[in-house]
Amino acid sequence: MTTAPWRDPALPASARVDDLLSRMTLQEKTAQLYGVWVGAATDGDGVAPLQREMTAEYDWNDLITQGLGQLTRSFGTAPVDPALGAQALARAQRRIAAAGRFGIPAVAHEECLAGFTTWRATAYPVPLAWGASFDPPLVEEMARRIGEDLRSVGVHQGLAPVLDVVRDPRWGRVEETIGEDPYLTGTIGTAYVRGLESAGVIATLKHFAGYASSAGARNLAPVRAGVREFADVTLPPFEMALREGGARSVMAAYTETDGVPASADPGLLTDLLRDQWGFTGTVVADYFGIGFLQSLHRVAGTDAEAAHAALRAGIDVELPTLKCYGKPLVEAVRAGEVPEELVDLAARRVLLQKCELGLLDEDWDPEPATRIDLDSTANRALARRLAEESVVLLDNPNGLLPLAPDTRIAVVGPRAADALAMLGCYSFPSHVLTHHPDIPMGIEIPTVLEALRTELPDAKVTFAEGCGVSDPDPSGFEEAVARASEADVCLAVLGDRAGLFGRGTSGEGCDVTDLQLPGVQGELLDALVATGVPVVLVLLTGRPYALGRWHGRLGAVVQAFFPGEEGGPAVAGVLSGRVNPSGRLPVSVPRVPGGQPWTYLQPPLGLAGEVSNLDPTPLYAFGHGRSYTSFAWESDAAQAEIGTDGSYDLGVTVRNTGDREGAEVVQLYLHDPVASVTRPDVRLIGYQRLELAPGESRRVTFRFHADLSAFTDLSQLKVVEPGALELRLGTSSAEILHTARLTLTGPVRVLGPDRRLRCEAVVT
């Protein structure tokens, strides 16, 4: 028997796929361009926008005779035992392969934003917590473990990371982002991509691009970003994750920018992504995003027109299930309304990726791992470490923390005794399990209250809820005040409840009008402060909230961004002193609830000044975080002159001057005094986390290259301009300790896609 060329692993992938395409019918090619969502709910509340309205009916047995591009969320749609789910997925893959002429299985994809979004899998901290850690190697290790878990059950593609840069913290999906800075988002996101891809799982960058810049912080609202904001804030994390991380897939955003939906924008998905950046992987639609071109954006009159617009723009795969790329597309091609070359182009990219995954090989075997443990001891240890590194000590003015081991503690608040307080909206218990109230959590999630009692066994700990997360009922205040009045210290554990589409205070479709604490939690905090007992505010949230109302009235403030299944012990460890806090803010904490949107990336007129009576200065700046130890910095920062293509080494020595081990995060900011367009007053261009024993010192050398000063000029070119620059070393964007003053000389340089994106940091 002669093996067809497309089955021959000795041939180049391109030759194999060209041979395969030449043998396929139009229907077989289009079948590679859509996914199928088995078991998706068509009634009630869903996990995707307009899921009920957009989910089409189909005959599975008939459908798979043509082949199938993707299987959507076999594990993440309903609770399924991982081992049984893996066997069921393998059976489905065998059926798909047996039904079609070519025996090609589907790519199975899943959500994996804060861990594999399935029952009994580790729930890691959310991406905003990754940003707070300022620790790319640790995030890479987490992503590698997530990828290994995905592969163990037969999943090929993960829909993460989110690389949207926060532009308005009222947006519900802030918890899914890494922060408000493109450099932090890019470096942490790239680390995640490297980890996932190293496990053989396709990383999918989302949401490309502009999604987080929606007007009024409303989910899916039109994007009002200008050309330079889009080029210099929105796009850099994606470019870094593609160039340095090697991501093999990109998800098109739901939103429109200046009247053009991303899913129908060839300038974005083809001209920029493929022609300029050289991306060769697959572009997938966000769930129902192609159908939305007709139903929401109204740039298409029929499903076929929506399919044509998306294909022409560069979307290869329709997710989560077939609608536009199925029968409507086939009929439009046969009618001469859509060029078959567009189908061939997308199918070729899909099949090349399947070839990379081994799905075209004759010896392909879907059999899953023999032992499946998605919440292993190693996973939990890693989740604990990341949670501990991500907790931010915002304030501790009088050294109230760490708590004495035998103190009387009143724990108050709606987030203290609820395991779901630890989880974001894409963690399985919050995302899916709320629809299955009779199913157990599947993983152990200690609450702050439980963890504190374990952490401080000699302390006398009492508890009162005080109020709910978002309801207006203050009837629990009296008991809460009574418990606080009996204690030496009160822990007010407040924050968010993650959910979807208005079913929570944080999460997809859970946008807010301002940044005051949800419900009557602010009033509860007022009542606790009024007792005169020292109050430690512990926040478990998916976004920053305005805290100026209590500034100077609290004993300490601890911020954790949905820290995952080990978040309770991590927070308790910070409170007890077992953990020295080292998290730094990936988003600014505002002073007042209004006056948004605001992030630290502001040009002069975006800062406080005499032209307005409103002061947007945050209470705690981007990069801020305190420690239980102290550090001293010495730098060789000086004046220097380099060319517009030159480089400069800036060193700083950091010594732990306290009596306990701790971590300092050295941050490097750029200030451009004069440019041809307005520039942010400061922006992060480098950082390094240093873990130091008492008395220990380490030196960090930042190797700055002039490329890192580039921006988009009046001609929409990425340029380096001659002139003065300042490199500022600090503990936050607002706390600068040393400054190097540079002068760039020579001509304006126009940069291409090979420009330097990262400031290397060398530790000695």
Side-chain angles (χ1 to χ4, degrees):
M1 183 173 118
T2 303
T3 300
W6 68 271
R7 283 290 199 191
D8 187 353
L11 292 176
S14 58
R16 295 174 66 184
V17 169
D18 287 343
D19 177 67
L20 177 58
L21 277 172
S22 70
R23 301 166 185 264
M24 299 176 84
T25 66
L26 174 62
Q27 283 182 291
E28 288 169 333
K29 288 184 290 190
T30 57
Q32 295 297 316
L33 308 187
Y34 52 70
V36 167
W37 196 355
V38 177
T42 56
D43 57 354
D45 297 325
V47 296
L50 302 177
Q51 178 176 318
R52 178 177 55 188
E53 294 84 349
M54 298 297 291
T55 301
E57 299 292 334
Y58 54 84
D59 183 321
W60 164 263
N61 291 320
D62 178 62
L63 187 73
I64 61 175
T65 60
Q66 303 299 324
L68 183 63
Q70 294 227 359
L71 278 169
T72 294
R73 302 193 66 180
S74 301
F75 293 86
T77 300
V80 57
D81 178 88
L84 296 178
Q87 291 293 339
L89 175 57
R91 286 195 300 271
Q93 291 280 40
R94 290 190 187 97
R95 287 184 61 192
I96 293 166
R101 286 199 303 144
F102 299 101
I104 303 171
V107 169
H109 77 258
E110 288 290 348
E111 298 284 0
C112 56
L113 186 73
F116 184 2
T117 307
T118 193
W119 193 47
R120 294 174 57 185
T122 304
Y124 291 97
V126 298
L128 202 58
W130 313 347
S133 77
F134 277 74
D135 192 345
L138 185 58
V139 171
E140 182 173 344
E141 184 180 350
M142 175 197 68
R144 182 169 56 253
R145 289 188 180 275
I146 293 171
E148 290 168 352
D149 286 343
L150 290 166
R151 284 305 299 262
S152 74
V153 297
V155 174
H156 310 99
Q157 183 165 0
L159 303 187
V162 169
L163 296 183
D164 296 297
V165 178
V166 175
R167 301 303 285 162
D168 187 334
R170 298 173 301 172
W171 190 48
R173 303 190 80 165
V174 166
E175 64 173 70
E176 300 179 45
T177 73
I178 293 166
E180 67 183 44
D181 179 84
Y183 188 82
L184 179 66
T185 300
T187 49
I188 295 286
T190 297
Y192 182 95
V193 168
R194 282 175 171 161
L196 202 67
E197 291 280 355
S198 72
V201 172
I202 296 169
T204 308
L205 311 182
K206 58 187 193 181
H207 306 87
F208 194 68
Y211 189 32
S213 298
S214 56
R218 294 180 61 247
N219 197 39
L220 274 68
V223 171
R224 307 297 191 206
V227 171
R228 268 160 287 282
E229 177 181 339
F230 204 80
D232 294 342
V233 177
T234 301
L235 294 178
F238 291 94
E239 185 178 5
M240 183 180 285
L242 291 172
R243 283 180 48 191
E244 297 187 2
R248 289 181 284 171
S249 190
V250 170
M251 176 179 281
Y254 284 130
T255 43
E256 63 168 86
T257 301
D258 197 23
V260 182
S263 295
D265 188 354
L268 179 69
L269 301 181
T270 296
D271 297 347
L272 174 69
L273 181 62
R274 297 193 182 279
D275 296 343
Q276 294 183 41
W277 289 358
F279 177 65
T280 59
T282 56
V283 176
V284 303
D286 205 343
Y287 283 16
F288 308 117
I290 296 176
F292 288 166
L293 294 176
Q294 177 189 5
S295 61
L296 297 184
H297 294 295
R298 301 181 189 173
V299 296
T302 64
D303 287 342
E305 289 179 6
H308 189 189
L311 270 178
R312 184 174 57 230
I315 294 183
D316 304 309
V317 181
E318 179 177 24
L319 296 181
T321 197
L322 78 161
K323 178 173 171 60
C324 302
Y325 276 13
K327 184 178 178 181
L329 177 57
V330 171
E331 291 178 347
V333 172
R334 286 174 174 166
E337 297 166 357
V338 176
E340 189 168 353
E341 290 79 6
L342 291 177
V343 173
D344 292 346
L345 189 61
R348 189 175 194 278
R349 290 194 282 250
V350 168
L351 292 170
L352 279 170
Q353 205 150 78
K354 287 192 173 186
C355 191
E356 290 176 3
L357 293 167
L359 301 183
L360 302 188
D361 296 347
E362 284 187 302
D363 61 354
W364 165 80
D365 184 0
E367 192 65 27
T370 54
R371 184 178 182 276
I372 296 171
D373 182 1
L374 302 183
D375 190 32
S376 65
T377 301
N379 280 14
R380 294 196 70 97
L382 184 58
R384 171 79 70 92
R385 184 178 162 202
L386 183 54
E388 290 176 350
E389 288 193 9
S390 71
V391 176
V392 185
L393 178 61
L394 293 180
D395 215 350
N396 190 29
N398 300 310
L400 180 62
L401 295 180
L403 297 172
D406 58 351
T407 193
R408 296 178 300 168
I409 306 169
V411 179
V412 173
R415 301 287 74 197
D418 187 351
L420 290 179
M422 302 298 157
L423 307 182
C425 77
Y426 269 79
S427 295
F428 190 81
S430 297
H431 196 71
V432 175
L433 214 53
T434 53
H435 302 293
H436 304 270
D438 297 331
I439 302 295
M441 193 82 74
I443 52 176
E444 182 183 352
I445 307 178
T447 67
V448 169
L449 180 62
E450 293 167 340
L452 190 68
R453 285 173 168 157
T454 301
E455 190 78 35
L456 297 174
D458 296 329
K460 181 181 178 182
V461 179
T462 59
F463 169 67
E465 186 177 44
C467 66
V469 173
S470 56
D471 65 62
D473 182 10
S475 60
F477 284 17
E478 184 177 354
E479 182 187 1
V481 167
R483 298 291 79 76
S485 299
E486 299 165 353
D488 299 318
V489 62
C490 175
L491 297 184
V493 187
L494 310 179
D496 280 316
R497 179 184 64 253
L500 292 166
F501 312 116
R503 301 193 292 272
T505 62
S506 174
E508 185 173 357
C510 298
D511 313 313
V512 295
T513 56
D514 60 33
L515 294 175
Q516 62 182 337
L517 287 169
V520 292
Q521 293 183 70
E523 288 72 18
L524 174 63
L525 185 56
D526 285 335
L528 297 174
V529 171
T531 66
V533 173
V535 176
V536 175
L537 174 59
V538 177
L539 291 166
L540 300 171
T541 69
R543 63 163 64 84
Y545 284 101
L547 302 179
R549 174 168 152 188
W550 302 282
H551 187 54
R553 302 168 60 201
L554 298 170
V557 183
V558 175
Q559 171 72 65
F561 297 109
F562 288 141
E565 64 182 33
E566 287 289 332
V571 169
V574 167
L575 296 172
S576 73
R578 175 180 56 82
V579 176
N580 192 350
S582 61
R584 300 295 186 263
L585 283 175
V587 284
S588 308
V589 172
R591 186 176 296 272
V592 295
Q596 303 300 319
W598 200 91
T599 76
Y600 93 103
L601 294 174
Q602 297 295 322
L605 287 179
L607 304 173
E610 297 178 356
V611 297
S612 173
N613 63 305
L614 296 180
D615 184 352
T617 306
L619 182 63
Y620 301 110
F622 172 86
H624 170 84
R626 301 300 188 202
S627 172
Y628 294 149
T629 190
S630 57
F631 302 95
W633 293 31
E634 294 181 3
S635 175
D636 56 10
Q639 294 186 349
E641 184 177 291
I642 63 173
T644 52
D645 60 350
S647 59
Y648 173 78
D649 283 1
L650 175 58
V652 58
T653 300
V654 179
R655 180 180 299 277
N656 183 343
T657 55
D659 58 3
R660 61 173 298 167
E661 183 179 356
E664 179 72 298
V665 178
V666 182
Q667 300 162 45
L668 177 63
Y669 294 89
L670 178 72
H671 171 70
D672 192 345
V674 179
S676 57
V677 298
T678 63
R679 303 295 300 132
D681 185 57
V682 293
R683 62 181 177 92
L684 186 72
I685 61 168
Y687 62 88
Q688 181 63 49
R689 179 186 172 91
L690 296 176
E691 297 185 5
L692 300 170
E696 183 182 10
S697 64
R698 303 292 295 275
R699 179 177 176 81
V700 182
T701 301
F702 290 102
R703 292 184 169 162
F704 169 81
H705 191 278
D707 285 8
L708 296 168
S709 71
F711 58 87
T712 303
D713 72 357
L714 291 167
S715 301
Q716 299 182 25
L717 298 173
K718 193 77 75 174
V719 299
V720 175
E721 290 185 346
L725 291 178
E726 292 183 4
L727 302 182
R728 297 178 176 179
L729 289 165
T731 57
S732 78
S733 59
E735 297 172 278
I736 302 302
L737 302 183
H738 299 280
T739 299
R741 292 173 173 82
L742 303 183
T743 300
L744 301 190
T745 61
V748 173
R749 287 180 57 235
V750 177
L751 303 185
D754 59 344
R755 74 186 190 284
R756 290 167 179 81
L757 303 176
R758 183 188 298 265
C759 187
E760 183 184 359
V762 179
V763 179
T764 54

